[in-house]
Amino acid sequence: MVTGPDERNEAITMTIITGPQQFNQDDLYVDLRSLVDVPLHLKCEGFNFAGSVKLKAASAMVEAAERDGILRPGSALVESSSGNLGVALSMIAANRGYRFVCVTDNRCNLATRRLMESLGTEVHVITEPDPEHGLLGARMNHVRALCASDDRFVWLNQYANPNAWRAHHATTAPAIAAEFPELDVLFVGAGTCGTLMGCARFFRAWHRPVRIVAVDSVGSVTFGGPAARRMIPGLGSGVRPAQLDESLVDDVVLVEERDTVRTCHALARTGFLFGGSTGTVVSGAAAWLDVHGTPGTTAVALAPDLGERYLDTIYQQHWVEDLYGEDVLRPVAVA
């Protein structure tokens, strides 16, 4: 930290960092009560150089692998990601001098792929799904094949790595607890379930009961539903996440992708441009609170990222209408 006088001879504070992962704005919330007509605060996780909540998991997994001697000079990182974790690892790999191969699929936003490549990442795009486990299963098969072909590859495996949930147990959940000591309900999107499990474990041991509501996409198999087409990357899974413990989850809300799109556009019309995962979480939270909430309910939802990477998909009219119909963008209430 560096301090010095400004024009009024008052002290100013400057933050100086040596690595991009050292910066993360972790205390910004949006009050959505005027937008969704329910008491809800949205914790924004996209204000860092990686642009998403995945920076926390990526940093924790890399640091643990280095500490344990698994990741060392000459190693190469490989990971399966629908986008945000891939960007976070791309940034860290570039900063620390590792080669990185990100295995994604054709649902990954073009802007996200270009961002990873700009950071020096080699992006492998999977187009053919695994017969049983879909595109995610095919991505994981590709990762395993790469690791088998070259022992320099290190697969952090965000789907089963306990450091992913530990990162949120140590940072995300305590930050929410400090800002909202009377928290009643927390809404967390279910993707790999690292964020969900870290927060759930923290609040299970907290001084007051907090309902943990997982928000997932229709078509995801995470909570036992049938697999179906999902076009918006981020939440949902074609393979049950290894780190999911359903006993820590009080309720599950499933959101149709049409509602995700509507919610993103409704938020954008008020000036808040969020990503698809955030649209899903807000839609699910608003629906749950509409049934179970009261004026005195203290509720927080997690917004994993912002909307700039979705300009060619969720915020592109033709893409939306081709997938979800011409009526999907007619003005409707967020809930």
Side-chain angles (χ1 to χ4, degrees), residues 141-267:
N141 292 339
H142 188 76
V143 170
R144 294 186 184 100
L146 287 173
C147 291
S149 69
D150 190 336
D151 60 10
R152 290 174 297 177
F153 276 120
V154 174
W155 181 21
L156 298 174
N157 193 358
Q158 63 164 325
Y159 309 102
N161 192 321
N163 294 296
W165 70 258
R166 287 171 184 157
H168 299 286
H169 187 276
T171 60
T172 309
I176 294 169
E179 293 291 336
F180 296 91
E182 301 301 316
L183 183 67
D184 296 307
V185 57
L186 177 65
F187 300 94
V188 186
T192 62
C193 292
T195 309
L196 175 63
M197 289 295 97
C199 291
R201 286 190 170 95
F202 178 91
F203 284 109
R204 277 292 180 269
W206 208 35
H207 69 89
R208 57 177 281 128
V210 174
R211 293 194 70 81
I212 303 297
V213 180
V215 183
D216 199 10
S217 301
V218 170
S220 167
V221 306
T222 296
F223 294 97
R229 184 190 74 167
R230 292 177 295 107
M231 298 303 298
I232 299 174
L235 300 187
S237 180
V239 179
R240 180 181 168 85
Q243 56 192 326
L244 173 64
D245 181 351
E246 287 192 64
S247 69
L248 299 174
V249 177
D250 296 298
D251 292 297
V252 177
V253 179
L254 299 180
V255 176
E256 296 275 1
E257 287 194 336
R258 287 171 58 92
D259 292 324
T260 293
V261 171
R262 289 189 181 110
T263 300
C264 286
H265 280 260
L267 291 170

Side-chain angles (χ1 to χ4, degrees), residues 45 64 68 79 92 104 107 113 118 122 184 188 233 241 245 278:
E45 292 281 353
D68 295 340
E79 186 58 80
I92 294 172
T104 188
R107 297 171 299 181
R113 286 171 51 190
S118 296
E122 183 180 332
D184 296 307
V188 186
D245 181 351
T278 299

Side-chain angles (χ1 to χ4, degrees), residues 79 315 332:
E79 186 58 80
Y315 296 104
V332 294

